[in-house]
Amino acid sequence: MKNAKKQLALLEALRHDVVSGAEQLLGAILVRGNRRARIVEVEAYRQEDDPGSHAFRGLTPRNQIMFGKAGVAYVYFNYGCHWMLNVTANAEGRAAAVLIRAAEPLAGLEEFRELRPKVKHDYDLLSGPGKLAAGFGITKKDYGIDLFDPSSDLRIEAGAAPTKIVQGIRIGLALGKGEEIPWRFVDGDAGKYVSKPHSAA
């Protein structure tokens, strides 16, 4: 019951505001089958004032899910190389999403290793959004999954909040795409599990 209340509180935070909701996603657990990992790095994006958001220029077939309810998986293919997992946020009609950038593996290590066979160190299994999607086998088929439904194959569960949070600018955005906006949040005690540069934590 306690965990269910924490789960609901996390979803409500995402519904209320993508930026504060993103911060509260740190420490939550991403789950698929036996694989479990603690979210340690996220970035927030929203339509109204953020040129880095996929929804900044309005509704498209790809981003339409960002305009819907909070807590749903927005999955897209990035640079023709990697799938990326995002969690929709804000009230319906106010497009926003949180990019899950990195996580600390907790369980299902053998499965993570099988899906990422070239990785030498376990701390690098999920240390980036493309790596995380590969480790969880996330693809286009996961687009639209309700991540807060306990019966979902891919889901988010409440976890312990970090004791220290580091805030900074988002990574990899082109000039003029909101590269100066400080909406990247990192678990300050999980530096080796986050995407590079590791100095962010």
Side-chain angles (χ1 to χ4, degrees), residues 152-175:
S152 289
D153 174 56
L154 179 69
R155 62 190 183 276
I156 290 173
E157 297 178 354
T163 58
K164 180 175 72 172
I165 294 175
V166 178
Q167 183 174 356
I169 60 173
R170 298 172 300 185
I171 295 175
L173 293 177
L175 191 65

PDB file of all heavy atoms in Angstrom, residues 152-175:
ATOM      1  N   SER A 152       1.881  -3.722 -16.814  1.00  0.00           N
ATOM      2  CA  SER A 152       2.638  -3.463 -18.039  1.00  0.00           C
ATOM      3  C   SER A 152       3.934  -4.261 -18.061  1.00  0.00           C
ATOM      4  O   SER A 152       4.604  -4.406 -17.028  1.00  0.00           O
ATOM      5  CB  SER A 152       2.952  -1.978 -18.184  1.00  0.00           C
ATOM      6  OG  SER A 152       1.794  -1.234 -18.474  1.00  0.00           O
ATOM      7  N   ASP A 153       4.298  -4.738 -19.228  1.00  0.00           N
ATOM      8  CA  ASP A 153       5.553  -5.473 -19.396  1.00  0.00           C
ATOM      9  C   ASP A 153       6.748  -4.588 -19.065  1.00  0.00           C
ATOM     10  O   ASP A 153       7.709  -5.029 -18.436  1.00  0.00           O
ATOM     11  CB  ASP A 153       5.652  -5.972 -20.835  1.00  0.00           C
ATOM     12  CG  ASP A 153       6.992  -6.611 -21.143  1.00  0.00           C
ATOM     13  OD1 ASP A 153       7.373  -7.555 -20.427  1.00  0.00           O
ATOM     14  OD2 ASP A 153       7.660  -6.161 -22.090  1.00  0.00           O
ATOM     15  N   LEU A 154       6.699  -3.345 -19.476  1.00  0.00           N
ATOM     16  CA  LEU A 154       7.718  -2.345 -19.147  1.00  0.00           C
ATOM     17  C   LEU A 154       7.047  -1.320 -18.253  1.00  0.00           C
ATOM     18  O   LEU A 154       6.013  -0.749 -18.613  1.00  0.00           O
ATOM     19  CB  LEU A 154       8.245  -1.686 -20.423  1.00  0.00           C
ATOM     20  CG  LEU A 154       9.306  -0.594 -20.244  1.00  0.00           C
ATOM     21  CD1 LEU A 154      10.613  -1.182 -19.750  1.00  0.00           C
ATOM     22  CD2 LEU A 154       9.532   0.152 -21.553  1.00  0.00           C
ATOM     23  N   ARG A 155       7.603  -1.083 -17.069  1.00  0.00           N
ATOM     24  CA  ARG A 155       6.917  -0.200 -16.126  1.00  0.00           C
ATOM     25  C   ARG A 155       7.909   0.497 -15.194  1.00  0.00           C
ATOM     26  O   ARG A 155       9.080   0.118 -15.108  1.00  0.00           O
ATOM     27  CB  ARG A 155       5.899  -0.980 -15.298  1.00  0.00           C
ATOM     28  CG  ARG A 155       6.494  -2.069 -14.435  1.00  0.00           C
ATOM     29  CD  ARG A 155       5.426  -2.960 -13.818  1.00  0.00           C
ATOM     30  NE  ARG A 155       6.002  -3.969 -12.931  1.00  0.00           N
ATOM     31  CZ  ARG A 155       6.489  -5.127 -13.353  1.00  0.00           C
ATOM     32  NH1 ARG A 155       6.469  -5.433 -14.649  1.00  0.00           N
ATOM     33  NH2 ARG A 155       6.992  -5.995 -12.488  1.00  0.00           N
ATOM     34  N   ILE A 156       7.392   1.504 -14.516  1.00  0.00           N
ATOM     35  CA  ILE A 156       8.159   2.247 -13.520  1.00  0.00           C
ATOM     36  C   ILE A 156       7.532   2.020 -12.153  1.00  0.00           C
ATOM     37  O   ILE A 156       6.310   2.139 -11.994  1.00  0.00           O
ATOM     38  CB  ILE A 156       8.181   3.752 -13.860  1.00  0.00           C
ATOM     39  CG1 ILE A 156       9.051   3.998 -15.104  1.00  0.00           C
ATOM     40  CG2 ILE A 156       8.700   4.570 -12.686  1.00  0.00           C
ATOM     41  CD1 ILE A 156       8.995   5.422 -15.612  1.00  0.00           C
ATOM     42  N   GLU A 157       8.365   1.705 -11.180  1.00  0.00           N
ATOM     43  CA  GLU A 157       7.911   1.526  -9.808  1.00  0.00           C
ATOM     44  C   GLU A 157       8.605   2.549  -8.914  1.00  0.00           C
ATOM     45  O   GLU A 157       9.735   2.961  -9.188  1.00  0.00           O
ATOM     46  CB  GLU A 157       8.230   0.105  -9.318  1.00  0.00           C
ATOM     47  CG  GLU A 157       7.503  -0.981 -10.104  1.00  0.00           C
ATOM     48  CD  GLU A 157       7.859  -2.389  -9.649  1.00  0.00           C
ATOM     49  OE1 GLU A 157       8.765  -2.519  -8.781  1.00  0.00           O
ATOM     50  OE2 GLU A 157       7.251  -3.339 -10.150  1.00  0.00           O
ATOM     51  N   ALA A 158       7.941   2.958  -7.867  1.00  0.00           N
ATOM     52  CA  ALA A 158       8.525   3.923  -6.938  1.00  0.00           C
ATOM     53  C   ALA A 158       9.758   3.339  -6.277  1.00  0.00           C
ATOM     54  O   ALA A 158       9.841   2.131  -6.041  1.00  0.00           O
ATOM     55  CB  ALA A 158       7.486   4.327  -5.893  1.00  0.00           C
ATOM     56  N   GLY A 159      10.713   4.197  -5.969  1.00  0.00           N
ATOM     57  CA  GLY A 159      11.936   3.760  -5.299  1.00  0.00           C
ATOM     58  C   GLY A 159      12.399   4.812  -4.305  1.00  0.00           C
ATOM     59  O   GLY A 159      11.697   5.803  -4.055  1.00  0.00           O
ATOM     60  N   ALA A 160      13.586   4.612  -3.755  1.00  0.00           N
ATOM     61  CA  ALA A 160      14.129   5.550  -2.774  1.00  0.00           C
ATOM     62  C   ALA A 160      14.745   6.751  -3.480  1.00  0.00           C
ATOM     63  O   ALA A 160      15.548   6.613  -4.404  1.00  0.00           O
ATOM     64  CB  ALA A 160      15.183   4.848  -1.920  1.00  0.00           C
ATOM     65  N   ALA A 161      14.371   7.937  -3.041  1.00  0.00           N
ATOM     66  CA  ALA A 161      14.902   9.159  -3.634  1.00  0.00           C
ATOM     67  C   ALA A 161      16.384   9.304  -3.312  1.00  0.00           C
ATOM     68  O   ALA A 161      16.850   8.868  -2.257  1.00  0.00           O
ATOM     69  CB  ALA A 161      14.136  10.366  -3.105  1.00  0.00           C
ATOM     70  N   PRO A 162      17.160   9.903  -4.200  1.00  0.00           N
ATOM     71  CA  PRO A 162      18.584  10.108  -3.924  1.00  0.00           C
ATOM     72  C   PRO A 162      18.784  11.112  -2.793  1.00  0.00           C
ATOM     73  O   PRO A 162      17.922  11.957  -2.531  1.00  0.00           O
ATOM     74  CB  PRO A 162      19.130  10.647  -5.249  1.00  0.00           C
ATOM     75  CG  PRO A 162      17.952  11.213  -5.953  1.00  0.00           C
ATOM     76  CD  PRO A 162      16.766  10.402  -5.530  1.00  0.00           C
ATOM     77  N   THR A 163      19.920  11.029  -2.131  1.00  0.00           N
ATOM     78  CA  THR A 163      20.223  11.968  -1.048  1.00  0.00           C
ATOM     79  C   THR A 163      20.825  13.255  -1.581  1.00  0.00           C
ATOM     80  O   THR A 163      20.819  14.282  -0.896  1.00  0.00           O
ATOM     81  CB  THR A 163      21.202  11.330  -0.045  1.00  0.00           C
ATOM     82  OG1 THR A 163      22.393  10.938  -0.743  1.00  0.00           O
ATOM     83  CG2 THR A 163      20.576  10.098   0.604  1.00  0.00           C
ATOM     84  N   LYS A 164      21.342  13.212  -2.811  1.00  0.00           N
ATOM     85  CA  LYS A 164      21.928  14.404  -3.430  1.00  0.00           C
ATOM     86  C   LYS A 164      21.571  14.428  -4.909  1.00  0.00           C
ATOM     87  O   LYS A 164      21.725  13.424  -5.596  1.00  0.00           O
ATOM     88  CB  LYS A 164      23.452  14.405  -3.258  1.00  0.00           C
ATOM     89  CG  LYS A 164      24.140  15.617  -3.877  1.00  0.00           C
ATOM     90  CD  LYS A 164      25.638  15.630  -3.579  1.00  0.00           C
ATOM     91  CE  LYS A 164      26.392  14.578  -4.346  1.00  0.00           C
ATOM     92  NZ  LYS A 164      27.862  14.703  -4.202  1.00  0.00           N
ATOM     93  N   ILE A 165      21.085  15.561  -5.384  1.00  0.00           N
ATOM     94  CA  ILE A 165      20.728  15.716  -6.791  1.00  0.00           C
ATOM     95  C   ILE A 165      21.570  16.827  -7.410  1.00  0.00           C
ATOM     96  O   ILE A 165      21.684  17.923  -6.850  1.00  0.00           O
ATOM     97  CB  ILE A 165      19.233  16.030  -6.961  1.00  0.00           C
ATOM     98  CG1 ILE A 165      18.382  14.832  -6.504  1.00  0.00           C
ATOM     99  CG2 ILE A 165      18.915  16.375  -8.422  1.00  0.00           C
ATOM    100  CD1 ILE A 165      16.892  15.096  -6.523  1.00  0.00           C
ATOM    101  N   VAL A 166      22.168  16.531  -8.549  1.00  0.00           N
ATOM    102  CA  VAL A 166      22.953  17.515  -9.293  1.00  0.00           C
ATOM    103  C   VAL A 166      22.137  17.956 -10.499  1.00  0.00           C
ATOM    104  O   VAL A 166      21.623  17.127 -11.254  1.00  0.00           O
ATOM    105  CB  VAL A 166      24.297  16.917  -9.758  1.00  0.00           C
ATOM    106  CG1 VAL A 166      25.084  17.926 -10.582  1.00  0.00           C
ATOM    107  CG2 VAL A 166      25.118  16.453  -8.555  1.00  0.00           C
ATOM    108  N   GLN A 167      22.015  19.256 -10.683  1.00  0.00           N
ATOM    109  CA  GLN A 167      21.257  19.820 -11.796  1.00  0.00           C
ATOM    110  C   GLN A 167      22.203  20.528 -12.756  1.00  0.00           C
ATOM    111  O   GLN A 167      23.136  21.216 -12.338  1.00  0.00           O
ATOM    112  CB  GLN A 167      20.212  20.812 -11.274  1.00  0.00           C
ATOM    113  CG  GLN A 167      19.321  21.405 -12.353  1.00  0.00           C
ATOM    114  CD  GLN A 167      18.220  22.274 -11.773  1.00  0.00           C
ATOM    115  OE1 GLN A 167      18.066  22.386 -10.551  1.00  0.00           O
ATOM    116  NE2 GLN A 167      17.435  22.900 -12.637  1.00  0.00           N
ATOM    117  N   GLY A 168      21.970  20.350 -14.062  1.00  0.00           N
ATOM    118  CA  GLY A 168      22.831  20.998 -15.042  1.00  0.00           C
ATOM    119  C   GLY A 168      22.158  21.079 -16.397  1.00  0.00           C
ATOM    120  O   GLY A 168      20.984  20.730 -16.551  1.00  0.00           O
ATOM    121  N   ILE A 169      22.911  21.523 -17.401  1.00  0.00           N
ATOM    122  CA  ILE A 169      22.353  21.649 -18.743  1.00  0.00           C
ATOM    123  C   ILE A 169      22.241  20.284 -19.401  1.00  0.00           C
ATOM    124  O   ILE A 169      22.971  19.359 -19.077  1.00  0.00           O
ATOM    125  CB  ILE A 169      23.191  22.607 -19.612  1.00  0.00           C
ATOM    126  CG1 ILE A 169      24.638  22.099 -19.757  1.00  0.00           C
ATOM    127  CG2 ILE A 169      23.161  24.022 -19.043  1.00  0.00           C
ATOM    128  CD1 ILE A 169      25.472  22.902 -20.737  1.00  0.00           C
ATOM    129  N   ARG A 170      21.317  20.188 -20.350  1.00  0.00           N
ATOM    130  CA  ARG A 170      21.082  18.934 -21.053  1.00  0.00           C
ATOM    131  C   ARG A 170      22.218  18.650 -22.045  1.00  0.00           C
ATOM    132  O   ARG A 170      22.948  19.555 -22.444  1.00  0.00           O
ATOM    133  CB  ARG A 170      19.725  18.983 -21.743  1.00  0.00           C
ATOM    134  CG  ARG A 170      18.574  19.141 -20.742  1.00  0.00           C
ATOM    135  CD  ARG A 170      17.242  19.392 -21.403  1.00  0.00           C
ATOM    136  NE  ARG A 170      17.237  20.616 -22.205  1.00  0.00           N
ATOM    137  CZ  ARG A 170      16.159  21.107 -22.800  1.00  0.00           C
ATOM    138  NH1 ARG A 170      14.993  20.489 -22.692  1.00  0.00           N
ATOM    139  NH2 ARG A 170      16.216  22.208 -23.513  1.00  0.00           N
ATOM    140  N   ILE A 171      22.331  17.386 -22.444  1.00  0.00           N
ATOM    141  CA  ILE A 171      23.465  16.926 -23.244  1.00  0.00           C
ATOM    142  C   ILE A 171      23.088  16.783 -24.721  1.00  0.00           C
ATOM    143  O   ILE A 171      22.000  16.325 -25.054  1.00  0.00           O
ATOM    144  CB  ILE A 171      23.969  15.570 -22.716  1.00  0.00           C
ATOM    145  CG1 ILE A 171      24.526  15.728 -21.294  1.00  0.00           C
ATOM    146  CG2 ILE A 171      25.050  14.980 -23.619  1.00  0.00           C
ATOM    147  CD1 ILE A 171      24.922  14.422 -20.653  1.00  0.00           C
ATOM    148  N   GLY A 172      24.032  17.162 -25.595  1.00  0.00           N
ATOM    149  CA  GLY A 172      23.917  16.817 -27.006  1.00  0.00           C
ATOM    150  C   GLY A 172      22.957  17.643 -27.830  1.00  0.00           C
ATOM    151  O   GLY A 172      22.643  17.266 -28.961  1.00  0.00           O
ATOM    152  N   LEU A 173      22.498  18.778 -27.311  1.00  0.00           N
ATOM    153  CA  LEU A 173      21.581  19.610 -28.078  1.00  0.00           C
ATOM    154  C   LEU A 173      22.356  20.589 -28.958  1.00  0.00           C
ATOM    155  O   LEU A 173      23.378  21.137 -28.556  1.00  0.00           O
ATOM    156  CB  LEU A 173      20.657  20.392 -27.143  1.00  0.00           C
ATOM    157  CG  LEU A 173      19.665  19.561 -26.335  1.00  0.00           C
ATOM    158  CD1 LEU A 173      18.863  20.456 -25.408  1.00  0.00           C
ATOM    159  CD2 LEU A 173      18.734  18.787 -27.254  1.00  0.00           C
ATOM    160  N   ALA A 174      21.837  20.829 -30.150  1.00  0.00           N
ATOM    161  CA  ALA A 174      22.473  21.762 -31.073  1.00  0.00           C
ATOM    162  C   ALA A 174      22.265  23.202 -30.602  1.00  0.00           C
ATOM    163  O   ALA A 174      21.369  23.497 -29.812  1.00  0.00           O
ATOM    164  CB  ALA A 174      21.883  21.577 -32.471  1.00  0.00           C
ATOM    165  N   LEU A 175      23.087  24.097 -31.109  1.00  0.00           N
ATOM    166  CA  LEU A 175      22.978  25.513 -30.785  1.00  0.00           C
ATOM    167  C   LEU A 175      21.587  26.019 -31.147  1.00  0.00           C
ATOM    168  O   LEU A 175      21.085  25.773 -32.246  1.00  0.00           O
ATOM    169  CB  LEU A 175      24.044  26.294 -31.562  1.00  0.00           C
ATOM    170  CG  LEU A 175      24.254  27.755 -31.161  1.00  0.00           C
ATOM    171  CD1 LEU A 175      24.796  27.845 -29.752  1.00  0.00           C
ATOM    172  CD2 LEU A 175      25.204  28.429 -32.144  1.00  0.00           C
TER     173      LEU A 175
END
